[in-house]
Coordinates of all heavy atoms in Angstrom, one line a residue:
L1 N 102.7 122.4 93.1 CA 101.9 121.5 92.4 C 100.8 122.1 91.6 O 100.6 121.9 90.4 CB 101.4 120.4 93.3 CG 102.3 119.2 93.6 CD1 101.6 118.3 94.7 CD2 102.7 118.5 92.4
V2 N 100.1 123.1 92.3 CA 99.0 123.8 91.6 C 99.6 124.6 90.4 O 99.0 124.5 89.3 CB 98.3 124.7 92.6 CG1 97.4 125.7 91.9 CG2 97.6 123.9 93.7
L3 N 100.7 125.3 90.6 CA 101.2 126.1 89.5 C 101.7 125.2 88.4 O 101.6 125.5 87.2 CB 102.3 127.0 90.0 CG 101.9 128.1 90.9 CD1 103.1 128.8 91.5 CD2 101.1 129.1 90.1
A4 N 102.4 124.1 88.7 CA 103.0 123.2 87.7 C 101.9 122.6 86.9 O 102.0 122.5 85.6 CB 103.8 122.1 88.4
V5 N 100.8 122.2 87.5 CA 99.7 121.6 86.7 C 99.0 122.7 85.9 O 98.8 122.5 84.7 CB 98.6 120.9 87.7 CG1 97.4 120.5 86.9 CG2 99.2 119.7 88.3
A6 N 98.8 123.8 86.5 CA 98.1 124.9 85.7 C 98.9 125.3 84.5 O 98.3 125.6 83.5 CB 97.9 126.1 86.7
T7 N 100.2 125.4 84.6 CA 101.1 125.8 83.5 C 101.3 124.7 82.5 O 101.9 125.0 81.4 CB 102.4 126.4 84.0 OG1 103.1 125.5 84.7 CG2 102.2 127.7 84.8
S8 N 101.0 123.5 82.8 CA 101.3 122.4 81.9 C 100.1 121.7 81.3 O 100.2 120.8 80.5 CB 102.2 121.4 82.6 OG 101.4 120.8 83.7
I9 N 98.9 122.2 81.5 CA 97.7 121.7 80.9 C 97.8 121.7 79.4 O 97.4 120.8 78.7 CB 96.4 122.4 81.4 CG1 96.2 122.1 82.9 CG2 95.2 122.0 80.6 CD1 95.9 120.6 83.2
D10 N 98.3 122.8 78.9 CA 98.4 123.0 77.4 C 99.4 121.9 76.9 O 99.2 121.4 75.8 CB 98.9 124.4 77.0 CG 100.1 124.9 77.8 OD1 100.6 124.2 78.7 OD2 100.5 126.0 77.5
A11 N 100.4 121.5 77.7 CA 101.3 120.5 77.2 C 100.6 119.1 77.1 O 101.0 118.3 76.2 CB 102.5 120.4 78.2
L12 N 99.6 118.9 77.8 CA 98.8 117.6 77.7 C 98.2 117.6 76.3 O 98.3 116.6 75.6 CB 97.7 117.6 78.8 CG 96.8 116.4 78.8 CD1 97.6 115.1 79.2 CD2 95.6 116.6 79.7
A13 N 97.6 118.7 75.9 CA 97.0 118.8 74.6 C 98.0 118.6 73.5 O 97.8 118.0 72.4 CB 96.2 120.1 74.4
V14 N 99.2 119.2 73.6 CA 100.2 119.1 72.7 C 100.7 117.6 72.6 O 101.0 117.1 71.5 CB 101.4 120.0 73.0 CG1 102.6 119.7 72.1 CG2 101.0 121.5 72.8
G15 N 100.7 116.9 73.7 CA 101.1 115.5 73.7 C 100.1 114.7 72.8 O 100.5 113.8 72.1
V16 N 98.8 115.0 72.9 CA 97.8 114.4 72.0 C 98.2 114.6 70.5 O 98.1 113.7 69.7 CB 96.4 114.9 72.3 CG1 95.4 114.3 71.3 CG2 96.0 114.5 73.7
T17 N 98.5 115.8 70.2 CA 98.9 116.1 68.8 C 100.2 115.4 68.4 O 100.3 115.0 67.3 CB 99.1 117.6 68.5 OG1 100.2 118.1 69.2 CG2 97.9 118.4 68.9
F18 N 101.1 115.2 69.4 CA 102.3 114.4 69.1 C 102.0 113.0 68.6 O 102.6 112.4 67.8 CB 103.2 114.3 70.3 CG 104.1 115.5 70.5 CD1 104.8 115.6 71.7 CD2 104.1 116.6 69.6 CE1 105.6 116.8 71.9 CE2 104.9 117.7 69.9 CZ 105.6 117.8 71.0
A19 N 100.9 112.4 69.2 CA 100.5 111.0 68.8 C 100.1 111.0 67.4 O 100.4 110.1 66.6 CB 99.4 110.6 69.7
F20 N 99.4 112.1 66.9 CA 98.9 112.1 65.5 C 100.1 112.4 64.6 O 100.0 112.0 63.4 CB 97.8 113.2 65.4 CG 96.7 112.9 66.3 CD1 96.1 114.0 67.0 CD2 96.1 111.7 66.5 CE1 95.1 113.8 67.9 CE2 95.1 111.5 67.3 CZ 94.6 112.5 68.0
L21 N 101.1 113.1 65.0 CA 102.2 113.5 64.2 C 103.3 112.5 64.2 O 104.3 112.7 63.5 CB 102.8 114.9 64.6 CG 101.8 116.1 64.6 CD1 102.4 117.3 65.2 CD2 101.4 116.3 63.1
Q22 N 103.1 111.4 64.9 CA 104.1 110.3 65.0 C 105.5 110.8 65.5 O 106.5 110.5 64.9 CB 104.3 109.6 63.6 CG 102.9 109.3 63.0 CD 102.6 107.9 63.1 OE1 103.4 107.0 63.1 NE2 101.3 107.6 63.0
V23 N 105.5 111.6 66.5 CA 106.7 112.1 67.1 C 107.4 111.1 68.0 O 106.7 110.3 68.6 CB 106.4 113.4 68.0 CG1 107.6 113.9 68.7 CG2 105.8 114.5 67.1
R24 N 108.7 111.0 67.9 CA 109.4 110.2 68.9 C 109.3 110.8 70.3 O 109.9 111.8 70.6 CB 110.9 110.0 68.4 CG 111.0 109.2 67.2 CD 112.4 109.1 66.7 NE 113.4 108.9 67.8 CZ 114.6 109.5 67.7 NH1 115.0 110.2 66.7 NH2 115.5 109.3 68.8
I25 N 108.5 110.2 71.1 CA 108.0 110.8 72.3 C 109.0 111.0 73.4 O 109.1 112.0 74.0 CB 106.7 110.1 72.8 CG1 106.0 111.0 73.9 CG2 107.0 108.8 73.4 CD1 105.5 112.3 73.3
V26 N 109.9 110.0 73.6 CA 110.8 110.1 74.7 C 111.8 111.3 74.5 O 112.0 112.1 75.4 CB 111.5 108.8 75.0 CG1 112.7 109.0 76.0 CG2 110.6 107.7 75.5
P27 N 112.4 111.4 73.3 CA 113.3 112.6 73.2 C 112.5 113.9 73.2 O 113.0 114.9 73.7 CB 113.9 112.3 71.8 CG 113.8 110.9 71.5 CD 112.6 110.5 72.2
A28 N 111.3 113.9 72.7 CA 110.5 115.1 72.6 C 110.2 115.6 74.0 O 110.4 116.8 74.3 CB 109.2 114.9 71.8
V29 N 109.6 114.7 74.9 CA 109.3 115.1 76.2 C 110.5 115.5 77.1 O 110.4 116.4 77.9 CB 108.3 114.1 76.9 CG1 107.0 114.0 76.2 CG2 109.0 112.8 77.2
S30 N 111.6 114.8 76.8 CA 112.8 115.1 77.5 C 113.3 116.5 77.1 O 113.7 117.3 78.0 CB 113.9 114.1 77.2 OG 113.5 112.8 77.6
F31 N 113.2 116.8 75.8 CA 113.6 118.1 75.3 C 112.7 119.2 75.9 O 113.2 120.3 76.4 CB 113.6 118.1 73.8 CG 114.3 119.2 73.2 CD1 115.6 119.3 73.1 CD2 113.5 120.2 72.5 CE1 116.3 120.4 72.5 CE2 114.2 121.3 71.9 CZ 115.5 121.4 71.9
I32 N 111.4 119.0 75.9 CA 110.5 119.9 76.5 C 110.8 120.2 78.0 O 110.8 121.3 78.5 CB 109.0 119.5 76.2 CG1 108.7 119.6 74.8 CG2 108.1 120.3 77.1 CD1 107.4 118.9 74.4
G33 N 111.0 119.1 78.7 CA 111.2 119.2 80.2 C 112.5 119.9 80.5 O 112.5 120.8 81.3
V34 N 113.6 119.6 79.8 CA 114.8 120.3 80.0 C 114.8 121.8 79.6 O 115.3 122.6 80.3 CB 116.0 119.6 79.2 CG1 117.3 120.4 79.2 CG2 116.2 118.2 79.9
T35 N 114.1 122.1 78.5 CA 114.0 123.4 78.0 C 113.2 124.2 79.1 O 113.6 125.4 79.4 CB 113.2 123.5 76.7 OG1 114.0 122.8 75.7 CG2 113.0 124.9 76.2
T36 N 112.1 123.7 79.6 CA 111.3 124.4 80.6 C 112.1 124.5 81.9 O 112.0 125.6 82.5 CB 110.0 123.6 80.9 OG1 109.3 123.5 79.6 CG2 109.1 124.3 81.9
F37 N 112.8 123.5 82.3 CA 113.7 123.6 83.5 C 114.6 124.8 83.4 O 114.7 125.6 84.3 CB 114.4 122.3 83.7 CG 115.5 122.3 84.8 CD1 115.1 122.2 86.1 CD2 116.8 122.5 84.5 CE1 116.0 122.2 87.1 CE2 117.8 122.5 85.5 CZ 117.4 122.4 86.8
I38 N 115.3 124.9 82.3 CA 116.3 125.9 82.1 C 115.7 127.3 82.0 O 116.1 128.3 82.7 CB 117.2 125.7 80.8 CG1 118.1 124.4 81.0 CG2 118.0 126.9 80.4 CD1 118.7 123.9 79.7
L39 N 114.6 127.4 81.2 CA 113.9 128.7 81.1 C 113.2 129.1 82.4 O 113.1 130.3 82.7 CB 112.8 128.7 80.0 CG 113.4 128.7 78.6 CD1 112.3 128.5 77.5 CD2 114.2 129.9 78.3
S40 N 112.8 128.2 83.3 CA 112.2 128.5 84.6 C 113.3 129.1 85.5 O 113.0 130.1 86.2 CB 111.6 127.3 85.2 OG 110.5 126.8 84.4
I41 N 114.5 128.5 85.5 CA 115.6 129.1 86.3 C 115.9 130.5 85.8 O 116.1 131.4 86.6 CB 116.8 128.1 86.3 CG1 116.4 126.9 87.1 CG2 118.0 128.8 86.9 CD1 117.5 125.8 87.1
I42 N 116.0 130.6 84.5 CA 116.3 132.0 83.9 C 115.2 132.9 84.3 O 115.4 134.1 84.6 CB 116.5 131.9 82.4 CG1 117.7 131.1 82.1 CG2 116.4 133.2 81.8 CD1 117.9 130.7 80.6
G43 N 113.9 132.5 84.3 CA 112.8 133.3 84.7 C 112.9 133.8 86.1 O 112.6 135.0 86.4

């Protein structure tokens, strides 16, 4: 939990920018989550 929160604080700020950029949020956060999941296993 500590590591997951620490490594995702920057994603919170990016989410704020998504609101300003009018991003379709559900596909965007799903894509980010899946990408991170895959890259974490590779890591």
Side-chain angles (χ1 to χ4, degrees):
L1 278 175
V2 169
L3 289 173
V5 170
T7 59
S8 64
I9 293 296
D10 51 355
L12 180 73
V14 169
V16 172
T17 67
F18 281 174
F20 304 134
L21 300 174
Q22 314 256 333
V23 171
R24 291 180 35 221
I25 194 64
V26 172
V29 298
S30 299
F31 194 73
I32 291 169
V34 169
T35 300
T36 304
F37 173 79
I38 292 167
L39 287 175
S40 295
I41 290 173
I42 291 169

